[in-house]
Amino acid sequence: MRIRSLIAKSILTPQRGGFLQTGELPFTHSLSWAAGCGLGKRYCGAFCYARSLPNWLFARQSDEGWGEALIVKSNAPELLAAQLARHPARQTLRIFCSPVTDPYQPIERKLRLTRRCLQVFAQYEDLDLLLLHTRAAALLDDLDLLAQIPYVWLGMTIETDRGDLPYGPTSADIERRFAAIEQALARGIRVQIAVAPCLPHTVDFAARLLSTGAQRIVIDSFGSGDGRGGTRTASSPFAQKADYDWRDERVALALYEQLRRRHEGIGWSAAGFAGIPGCSRPCQQRRAPL
């Protein structure tokens, strides 16, 4: 893995359309302290839509493939501190961290860029929303900080409850994610589970998702979720190797309907992600960390 650092000029990217704006409660900004992904050679890298986005394509060098390089904005925490301090309407900010690069990259434990950004957010109580979205149990390192930020939601990807899929997470990885959700909820941190993309799963998956106590669950499919009606997925390595019809949304829709009948906080695809209620004021009343 090649790690390259740069000095960025901005860290909060305004959202003026696209995935994060498709919903009743759209995000205003995204925050990504890197381009590329250190997890790109894992199973998720085979279908990740971010490999087709400008964030990566314009930052990569000609000899760098997806999962082979990470371009780090080394001054991300300092930029965030400066932008939040001078923002004229901080109370309206709804930030997604991160829609293109997991904030818990393998190198995070060395660089601590996500933690340092969270330390900046912890100095403010008046933002509307920060969604910290990951598929890595390494977030447990930062539960202390997350519990201090009144407007934060933790987003955790759990695509399936089956650990035997050649294109999915291992059983151990699945269990670590469920355990991380349990610990976050115990600290009073709100959680949104993302079944994104929805992979083949057992008949007990819906019940297990509900049993977590997560306040929101979003279901997504390859066709609805890659931003181009499935065309990005069609050109991915995953599409060439999948042993089932990944274009068929019926399995994902069935899970969505099954959950929707039993939980009011269920969302579908982009509109589901952009549906988290604002909490800059109501969150002051949230349950105190245990």
Side-chain angles (χ1 to χ4, degrees), residues 3-188:
I3 307 294
R4 294 193 283 112
S5 296
L6 58 80
I7 301 299
K9 296 181 179 180
S10 179
I11 194 63
L12 292 178
T13 303
Q15 300 299 298
R16 298 185 176 90
F19 187 86
L20 300 184
Q21 288 274 300
T22 307
E24 294 183 1
L25 299 168
F27 289 89
T28 62
H29 295 77
S30 65
L31 190 165
S32 300
W33 55 255
C37 187
L39 307 173
K41 293 298 185 182
R42 296 186 62 201
Y43 76 90
C44 53
F47 53 67
C48 184
Y49 65 87
R51 64 190 297 140
S52 302
L53 298 181
N55 169 271
W56 164 246
L57 295 177
F58 293 157
R60 65 183 288 272
Q61 295 180 352
S62 59
D63 63 339
E64 293 173 340
W66 183 251
E68 297 175 355
L70 189 71
I71 300 93
V72 175
K73 300 175 183 178
S74 57
N75 60 333
E78 293 77 15
L79 281 174
L80 178 63
Q83 288 189 255
L84 290 183
R86 66 173 184 261
H87 199 283
R90 200 168 49 239
Q91 296 81 1
T92 68
L93 292 179
R94 296 174 58 83
I95 302 170
F96 192 126
C97 177
S98 161
V100 292
T101 301
D102 195 304
Y104 287 98
Q105 292 292 304
I107 201 171
E108 165 61 13
R109 282 194 163 128
K110 177 181 179 180
L111 299 181
R112 294 299 188 188
L113 286 172
T114 292
R115 182 169 182 84
R116 289 162 57 198
C117 286
L118 290 174
Q119 288 171 336
V120 174
F121 282 116
Q123 299 175 33
Y124 297 92
E125 296 185 348
D126 58 349
L127 277 71
D128 195 47
L129 173 69
L130 169 64
L131 175 63
L132 183 71
H133 190 86
T134 184
R135 54 167 33 90
L139 69 93
L140 293 174
D141 291 352
D142 294 334
L143 284 186
D144 59 330
L145 275 173
L146 292 173
Q148 297 175 36
I149 302 172
Y151 45 85
V152 76
W153 280 71
L154 170 64
M156 174 63 80
T157 294
I158 303 182
E159 308 98 325
T160 178
D161 61 342
R162 286 181 54 183
D164 62 331
L165 300 174
Y167 41 78
T170 65
S171 294
D173 197 8
I174 292 168
E175 294 308 316
R176 281 191 289 267
R177 295 186 212 178
F178 274 114
I181 288 170
E182 180 180 345
Q183 292 182 55
L185 288 168
R187 295 290 296 267

Side-chain angles (χ1 to χ4, degrees), residues 35 50 60 77 116 129 151 172 187 191 202 215 233 240 278 284:
R60 65 183 288 272
R116 289 162 57 198
L129 173 69
Y151 45 85
R187 295 290 296 267
V191 173
T202 74
Q215 289 86 349
T233 304
Q240 314 308 317
Q284 306 303 319

